[in-house]
Amino acid sequence: VIMTRRIIALLTDFGTEDGYVGAMKGKILSIAPEANIVDISHEIMPFNIRQAAFCLTNCYAYFPEKTVFIVVVDPGVGTARKGLMIQTTNHFFIGPDNGVFSLIYEKEAFNSFEILVDTLPWEVAATFHGRDVFSPLGALLAADKSINRFLTATKRHTSFVRPIRKVKKKRFHIPVVHIDHFGNVILNFQRKDFSKMKTKKFGITVDDHKFGKIHNTFGEVSRGEFLLMWDSSDYLQIAKNGGSAAKDLGISTDSEVGLAL
Amino acid sequence: VIMTRRIIALLTDFGTEDGYVGAMKGKILSIAPEANIVDISHEIMPFNIRQAAFCLTNCYAYFPEKTVFIVVVDPGVGTARKGLMIQTTNHFFIGPDNGVFSLIYEKEAFNSFEILVDTLPWEVAATFHGRDVFSPLGALLAADKSINRFLTATKRHTSFVRPIRKVKKKRFHIPVVHIDHFGNVILNFQRKDFSKMKTKKFGITVDDHKFGKIHNTFGEVSRGEFLLMWDSSDYLQIAKNGGSAAKDLGISTDSEVGLAL
Amino acid sequence: VIMTRRIIALLTDFGTEDGYVGAMKGKILSIAPEANIVDISHEIMPFNIRQAAFCLTNCYAYFPEKTVFIVVVDPGVGTARKGLMIQTTNHFFIGPDNGVFSLIYEKEAFNSFEILVDTLPWEVAATFHGRDVFSPLGALLAADKSINRFLTATKRHTSFVRPIRKVKKKRFHIPVVHIDHFGNVILNFQRKDFSKMKTKKFGITVDDHKFGKIHNTFGEVSRGEFLLMWDSSDYLQIAKNGGSAAKDLGISTDSEVGLAL
């Protein structure tokens, strides 16, 4: 029989040309020689926590049980920001507590643990937790070794997701969660939220623009027109056929849009 | 004993930062946990079918027997374009029927099968066949499971390769098959075609430019001069030392050049 | 029991979109089907030997024993430049003799061997030693097959590292070894050299600029100021908070800076 090799999936903003991803891979394989390292991406825009979170949410659910995701988009490394291990029903997530796991918190039941960096019995460079904290802990997990002694349960973790606000009867404000590099505006409004409403009638308003229909493809509207679509993670997005919805509607990640039922 | 793990080689134009490649990898490993996933590239220019075809032809022959190639450069996803499984003597190729396998048809004996998407007993998103059609079928193949029930033999498949045309005795028109990102013009004329001619004398003409010799390296001509060379897949190419042959000769992928023997 | 698969780590300047990296991977897996291929990077700037050397030095030491590193940044392919196999205490390195292993020579005890390309009993394209020389030899090594018959011991190998020069008592000239893409100037002066000096007092001079302190982070100086730091491979670097030290100090890889104790 062949034992199935455990998967460690890597997601960083390091690029590859400086060798930092190589250092993480080397360290992982030194601890867990049979780990199956899978690159999700190393091309996240530097420090773009929201892009990393959306990249992760677009793929994590497809991975086998017990996959360990190591996410290193970490502008706060060297400061007091915590490190986290998040355990969901099927998966483990390891990385900084800066919001990269925001969408996991929205979609999964989970337990969260703070990494007690001071308890690690090996050398840790203050500026490279990807190599010295997250990779070795992920490798130990993948090698089926307990890391409990380096963790403590925590209830506090950072998220960039702001809740939908009810402003009056049948009137809500929906915050933006992400603007992708095409300028599509992703809203904190999931397909399952819509199902719960048990209505097909609704209106999204952005200043003077009103949307009452959810389209399936860009091609259903003319070039230059705005539209609503579900994105690949089932979040509602405002898009523009042939342009940037965010730019042309003056929307930032701090914005909210109106929802009327 | 160790059983050799089957290889699934991936070639897409997705980039990695949106998580779509990650979703394909997760799905493959959920079906075929022991598959050896190999990245060929995810940096094909968006929708550039010819670039994908040349990337594939530069590498496929070196892979072990039974390697499964999944190619997802798929501008037509969501339309009625077919999906294909191409079986050659040594390899399997899975992807859309849009020409990405054009050069495999030129170089290999093969059987071709249309994928009957409607028969797949799992959910398929209309806009992501890479994740929901090609990856699971490739994973099943790599896990040595039959996918015949999802296939039907077909004789029709799309190719961007136009044939060499005889225009009169010892006069031919050779179509362009690709212009690479250096502006090299790759012609539908392979080294084996040249061998068959059993002559060393020939002339390629592009407007006023005449070429009668095939060089081995750029360095054999002066900077700014045009030359003929065999490319790494043994196709004849027109290049320019220090410039773009396509641009400076006014050649597009619709062009033909003259061949006189 | 599972035998641990041997690691082959790849570092090239090929990009992935032309299929050349794919060809190397295919060839390796055809010879060593159980090899664990790890991508360090394929995004080294074309022909940038120093960048490749620093990328390698940032990661090689973390990899398990017997890892085979194949490095193909090879502007001289097709000329008479030698190919090398460098054996250190823990690792093997295979690639061209053009300086890509310069920093390995500085950091490790090693034996070096010239690859006798003419003795290889397979076809070798003059312009693609990455695929036809370095990959198959690396794969044979990873498959625990001897490649000694294709090697001869050599003492001569190319390095871009120039030594520290003593110019008078307690006065030295330190050469630049690399300028990274942020414009940080990396000096041929390692943390271990500094320890050996047994002094905390020192001065680095670049024209009118004097540095007497080594900082831990960019944030310790104001925006626009220059500073000294140890880089991630423990080389001393001159950096500028929010700018390019190399550009603003007029430093190139041919430069030297002054050191006074």
Side-chain angles (χ1 to χ4, degrees), chain B residues 185 206-207 209 211 226 238-239 244-252 255:
Chain B
V185 175
V206 183
D207 298 334
H209 294 270
F211 303 89
F226 298 98
I238 308 173
S244 164
K247 194 174 164 192
D248 295 347
L249 293 170
I251 292 177
S252 75
S255 303

Side-chain angles (χ1 to χ4, degrees), chain C residues 176-236:
Chain C
V176 171
V177 284
H178 183 46
I179 292 169
D180 75 15
H181 79 281
F182 299 106
N184 298 317
V185 175
I186 291 115
L187 303 172
N188 183 21
F189 190 74
Q190 298 184 58
R191 197 193 283 257
K192 66 183 183 191
D193 299 326
F194 189 56
S195 305
K196 277 184 214 150
M197 288 185 178
K198 289 174 183 161
T199 174
K200 298 261 164 171
K201 277 197 64 181
F202 75 98
I204 295 278
T205 51
V206 183
D207 299 333
D208 295 343
H209 294 269
K210 285 186 169 41
F211 302 88
K213 189 184 166 186
I214 299 175
H215 289 271
N216 292 310
T217 66
F218 279 89
E220 293 176 16
V221 303
S222 305
R223 204 172 165 79
E225 280 191 45
F226 298 98
L227 72 159
L228 292 181
M229 290 173 70
W230 297 113
D231 84 348
S232 52
S233 296
D234 280 341
Y235 279 90
L236 192 64

Side-chain angles (χ1 to χ4, degrees), chain C residues 17 43 81 147 174-175 179:
Chain C
E17 69 272 26
E43 308 305 328
R81 72 99 188 88
I147 62 170
I174 303 180
I179 292 169

Side-chain angles (χ1 to χ4, degrees), chain B residues 49 81-82 84 96-103 105 155-161:
Chain B
I49 289 164
R81 71 99 189 87
K82 289 185 296 183
L84 292 177
D97 179 28
N98 60 15
V100 285
F101 302 130
S102 296
L103 302 173
Y105 307 146
K155 291 287 178 206
R156 298 192 311 170
H157 22 74
T158 305
S159 175
F160 58 74
V161 179

Side-chain angles (χ1 to χ4, degrees), chain A residues 81-103:
Chain A
R81 72 99 188 86
K82 291 185 295 185
L84 292 177
M85 194 280 272
I86 306 295
Q87 183 169 18
T88 64
T89 311
N90 289 327
H91 300 127
F92 301 96
F93 299 86
I94 296 179
D97 179 28
N98 60 15
V100 285
F101 302 129
S102 296
L103 302 173

Side-chain angles (χ1 to χ4, degrees), chain B:
Chain B
V1 293
I2 296 185
M3 261 175 49
T4 296
R5 301 184 308 140
R6 288 280 293 281
I7 297 163
I8 297 181
L10 302 182
L11 177 57
T12 79
D13 62 351
F14 287 157
T16 58
E17 69 272 26
D18 293 314
Y20 302 138
V21 171
M24 289 175 60
K25 291 179 176 181
K27 198 154 234 185
I28 288 167
L29 291 167
S30 291
I31 294 170
E34 287 304 316
N36 187 1
I37 296 178
V38 175
D39 292 306
I40 296 174
S41 184
H42 304 293
E43 309 305 329
I44 297 298
M45 287 170 60
F47 305 158
N48 194 326
I49 289 164
R50 286 167 196 256
Q51 189 185 35
F54 270 85
C55 178
L56 185 63
T57 202
N58 278 342
C59 66
Y60 80 92
Y62 300 100
F63 277 85
E65 272 189 35
K66 296 196 178 177
T67 295
V68 179
F69 296 89
I70 299 178
V71 181
V72 193
V73 176
D74 196 6
V77 69
T79 72
R81 71 99 189 87
K82 289 185 296 183
L84 292 177
M85 194 280 272
I86 306 295
Q87 182 168 18
T88 64
T89 311
N90 289 327
H91 300 128
F92 302 96
F93 299 85
I94 297 180
D97 179 28
N98 60 15
V100 285
F101 302 130
S102 296
L103 302 173
I104 303 298
Y105 307 146
E106 300 291 310
K107 287 177 173 275
E108 300 288 334
F110 65 95
N111 290 311
S112 52
F113 302 89
E114 180 180 348
I115 298 168
L116 304 169
V117 174
D118 292 342
T119 69
L120 298 176
W122 55 74
E123 205 177 339
V124 173
T127 55
F128 198 176
H129 282 197
R131 182 189 64 196
D132 293 344
V133 176
F134 305 135
S135 289
L137 290 177
L140 287 170
L141 263 181
D144 266 328
K145 302 213 167 106
S146 170
I147 60 170
N148 290 345
R149 65 193 179 287
F150 309 125
L151 302 176
T152 185
T154 183
K155 291 287 178 206
R156 298 192 311 170
H157 22 74
T158 305
S159 175
F160 58 74
V161 179
R162 293 166 291 146
I164 298 174
R165 292 191 300 131
K166 185 165 189 169
V167 288
K168 53 182 166 175
K169 192 154 183 284
K170 297 194 172 185
R171 291 285 183 281
F172 303 86
H173 282 184
I174 303 180
V176 171
V177 283
H178 183 46
I179 293 170
D180 74 16
H181 78 282
F182 300 105
N184 298 317
V185 175
I186 290 113
L187 302 173
N188 183 20
F189 189 74
Q190 298 184 58
R191 197 193 284 257
K192 65 184 184 191
D193 298 327
F194 188 55
S195 304
K196 277 183 215 151
M197 287 183 179
K198 289 173 182 160
T199 173
K200 298 260 163 170
K201 277 197 62 180
F202 74 99
I204 295 279
T205 51
V206 183
D207 298 334
D208 294 344
H209 294 270
K210 284 186 168 44
F211 303 89
K213 190 184 166 185
I214 299 174
H215 289 271
N216 291 310
T217 67
F218 279 89
E220 293 176 15
V221 303
S222 306
R223 204 171 164 79
E225 279 191 46
F226 298 98
L227 71 159
L228 292 181
M229 290 173 70
W230 296 113
D231 83 349
S232 52
S233 296
D234 281 340
Y235 279 90
L236 192 64
Q237 65 176 342
I238 308 173
K240 183 180 185 179
N241 186 350
S244 164
K247 194 174 164 192
D248 295 347
L249 293 170
I251 292 177
S252 75
T253 51
D254 294 327
S255 303
E256 295 185 333
V257 304
L259 169 66
L261 297 183

Side-chain angles (χ1 to χ4, degrees), chain A residues 10 12 14 20-28 70 72 130-131 135:
Chain A
L10 302 181
T12 80
F14 287 157
Y20 302 137
V21 171
M24 289 175 60
K25 291 179 176 181
K27 198 152 234 186
I28 288 167
I70 298 177
V72 194
R131 181 189 66 196
S135 289

